[in-house]
Amino acid sequence: MVNLPEDFLKKMEVLLGTEYNAFIRGFDNERLYGIRMNPIKVCRDVFEQMDFGLKKVTWAEEGYYYESSSRPGKHPYHEAGVYYIQEPSAMAVAELLDAKPGDKVLDLCAAPGGKSTQIAGKMQGQGLLVSNEINPQRVKILSQNIERLGIKNAVVLNESSECLAQRFPRFFDKILVDAPCSGEGMFRKDENAVSEWSQLQVERCAERQKMILDNAAEMLKTGGVLVYSTCTFSPEENESVISEFIKKHSEFELCECTVYEGFDHGRKEYGGEDVLKTIRLWPHRLGGEGHFAAKLIKRDGQDMRYEPGQNYNKRSEVSLYNKFVAEYLNNFKTQGDYVMFGEQLYSIPQEMPLIKGLKVVRPGLHLGINKKSRFEPAHALAMALSPLDAVNVKDMDIDLAEKYLRGEVISEDGYNGWTLMTVDGFSIGWGKASGGMIKNHYPKGLRI
């Protein structure tokens, strides 16, 4: 069993009462592992035929359990962005947000990207997703996951919530705050969370969570939805934070959350009757780790008007890209404006206001780079394409795909120029064919 802090155990005994012993015994149970299909890339019928020992997660539309022995993280489908490996309880949060195509959505504390990619799947490439992470190392992982899952309409930022509140007052339709927390719900899977825990840390996290929520409130439009979540058990970071927030922000009210089998209501002794509308996920009750979530709606307020961002560049700067599209793609069009970062060309979602002055990690879909008289397509562009989008497509079986992922040259006649490489029909990167060989353009930093 995990060696848990004594102060934590005393606190949980008070919180859980007669359920305390069952909770403690749960730390000896084998963890369950979750995987979430990417609807941008794969349909349910095809996904459920994959040999990972899949069983449905009841509270997540695209969520499944998998057998740990199947090791889907080592499969080429993982590198093709067919799915995202995610803790099962964490999948409940983005479901509450209920993002739709065309929404303007902010994931304020987004790394490593599980909830952002889940939101993007529901948006189906339409609208604007701003995925923000203040930690400069974690934001790189977030950006990589956005790219791997072929997401076209996301902007990745590395900003504080205070900065964003100043730039985007009353702009977003939906905001997710998966707040930094003391991580008690992850004790069973993360020994570092155990060693770093203290009651002082709990209190510090609660103060930071309140500040982040205040900034999120400023960025939400009237009628918009705010979802707050943590992966901790402490009422100070959960019910108490929400109770204080709705007292301070009378324009917000709590919404009822669906209580699936194994879920629990929030504890009213820590926030009154209202917090009964929030949900708790206890690891001894269901197949997942610990989580808390609350859904709020903003009833009152005066919204802002935003002018188009004017982020685009002159046509002359995209002429090489247009030539590439005409030669190698089949009527492929992006829905955003073009923006150049140095020699790098991106398609930025049209709904995005001016990005100048922000710490931008990924301003949209990376299309490629202008190199003197030629255009070289980006890996992100390949990941966002389907086989129908490309003129040249080389489909590989699993064995050949593994060779490709190692960076090996592929011997193949009948191809010339830029070729979309796929594995069982799922795009995985670029190759450039010449003389019966396909030169490998899978990024060196991603090779296995």
Side-chain angles (χ1 to χ4, degrees), residues 1-4 8 23 26-35 66 84-91 111-112 114-115 138 178 182-195 231-233 283 287-291:
M1 178 178 152
V2 180
N3 187 21
L4 299 171
F8 170 75
F23 171 76
F27 283 89
D28 292 327
N29 295 337
E30 184 178 353
R31 282 178 48 216
L32 296 178
Y33 297 86
I35 189 170
Y66 70 89
Y84 188 99
I85 295 173
Q86 186 178 23
E87 195 283 308
S89 291
M91 300 178 190
K115 297 176 178 67
R138 285 168 56 81
D178 185 39
S182 58
E184 296 166 355
M186 297 295 112
F187 279 1
R188 190 164 61 167
K189 61 175 287 190
D190 186 355
E191 292 183 1
N192 289 330
V194 179
S195 62
C231 58
T232 197
F233 303 119
E289 305 304 316
H291 258 74

Side-chain angles (χ1 to χ4, degrees), residues 92-100 103 122 173-177 213 220 223-230 238-239 242-243 245-246 251-258 260 266 274-280 292-299:
V93 176
E95 296 290 332
L96 290 176
L97 195 68
D98 194 26
K100 305 288 187 185
D103 282 343
K122 296 181 182 300
D173 300 302
K174 292 168 183 175
I175 299 177
L176 172 60
V177 177
L213 270 178
L220 191 67
V225 172
L226 170 63
V227 171
Y228 172 81
S229 67
T230 72
N238 295 330
E239 290 93 345
I242 290 299
S243 178
F245 177 80
I246 58 178
E251 70 274 24
F252 281 84
E253 67 178 59
L254 279 164
C255 303
E256 291 279 0
C257 297
T258 302
Y260 292 90
D274 276 348
V275 300
L276 287 172
K277 296 177 181 178
T278 66
I279 53 171
R280 280 181 170 270
F292 170 88
K295 180 176 181 178
L296 305 104
I297 189 166
K298 190 175 187 180
R299 294 298 188 189

Side-chain angles (χ1 to χ4, degrees), residues 88-353:
S89 291
M91 300 178 190
V93 176
E95 296 290 332
L96 290 176
L97 195 68
D98 194 26
K100 305 288 187 185
D103 282 343
K104 293 192 286 289
V105 182
L106 170 64
D107 186 357
L108 188 51
C109 313
K115 297 176 178 67
S116 273
T117 55
Q118 188 174 358
I119 291 166
K122 296 181 182 300
M123 296 176 72
Q124 288 292 308
Q126 301 176 46
L128 169 67
L129 171 60
V130 176
S131 297
N132 180 73
E133 172 58 44
I134 193 171
N135 184 297
Q137 296 303 315
R138 285 168 56 81
V139 77
K140 294 176 183 178
I141 300 170
L142 167 65
S143 184
Q144 289 171 0
N145 281 322
I146 292 289
E147 176 177 280
R148 181 172 62 86
L149 270 72
I151 296 166
K152 302 176 184 177
N153 60 324
V155 175
V156 179
L157 302 179
N158 176 215
E159 286 289 358
S160 67
S161 62
E162 298 98 319
C163 174
L164 295 183
Q166 293 171 6
R167 289 292 297 267
F168 299 103
R170 300 177 290 285
F171 175 75
F172 293 101
D173 300 302
K174 292 168 183 175
I175 299 177
L176 172 60
V177 177
D178 185 39
C181 68
S182 58
E184 296 166 355
M186 297 295 112
F187 279 1
R188 190 164 61 167
K189 61 175 287 190
D190 186 355
E191 292 183 1
N192 289 330
V194 179
S195 62
E196 294 170 0
W197 185 90
S198 70
Q199 183 57 31
L200 179 59
Q201 185 202 25
V202 168
E203 293 165 5
R204 287 173 175 169
C205 286
E207 291 306 309
R208 179 169 52 178
Q209 291 153 1
K210 294 171 188 175
M211 178 269 294
I212 294 173
L213 270 178
D214 285 342
N215 291 325
E218 175 62 21
M219 290 184 275
L220 191 67
K221 293 168 61 174
T222 303
V225 172
L226 170 63
V227 171
Y228 172 81
S229 67
T230 72
C231 58
T232 197
F233 303 119
S234 289
E236 300 96 317
E237 301 178 69
N238 295 330
E239 290 93 345
S240 294
V241 166
I242 290 299
S243 178
E244 184 172 325
F245 177 80
I246 58 178
K247 288 176 182 176
K248 182 177 180 180
H249 295 272
S250 58
E251 70 274 24
F252 281 84
E253 67 178 59
L254 279 164
C255 303
E256 291 279 0
C257 297
T258 302
V259 181
Y260 292 90
E261 184 178 356
F263 283 27
D264 194 8
H265 296 281
R267 300 304 177 90
K268 68 177 181 180
E269 59 267 34
Y270 298 103
E273 293 286 337
D274 276 348
V275 300
L276 287 172
K277 296 177 181 178
T278 66
I279 53 171
R280 280 181 170 270
L281 283 70
W282 296 101
H284 65 285
R285 286 191 176 195
L286 47 71
E289 305 304 316
H291 258 74
F292 170 88
K295 180 176 181 178
L296 305 104
I297 189 166
K298 190 175 187 180
R299 294 298 188 189
D300 298 307
Q302 184 174 356
D303 293 334
M304 302 281 287
R305 292 190 64 183
Y306 283 80
E307 297 298 324
Q310 300 296 313
N311 291 302
Y312 56 82
N313 286 93
K314 297 177 182 178
R315 291 182 180 179
S316 60
E317 295 177 300
V318 298
S319 58
L320 293 176
Y321 168 70
N322 288 334
K323 182 179 179 181
F324 170 85
V325 171
E327 186 171 358
Y328 293 111
L329 300 184
N330 294 319
N331 300 315
F332 177 77
K333 295 181 180 179
T334 62
Q335 296 186 6
D337 297 319
Y338 297 125
V339 58
M340 295 290 297
F341 272 50
E343 295 179 329
Q344 305 289 338
L345 178 65
Y346 289 81
S347 171
I348 187 169
Q350 291 176 334
E351 296 85 353
M352 185 69 186

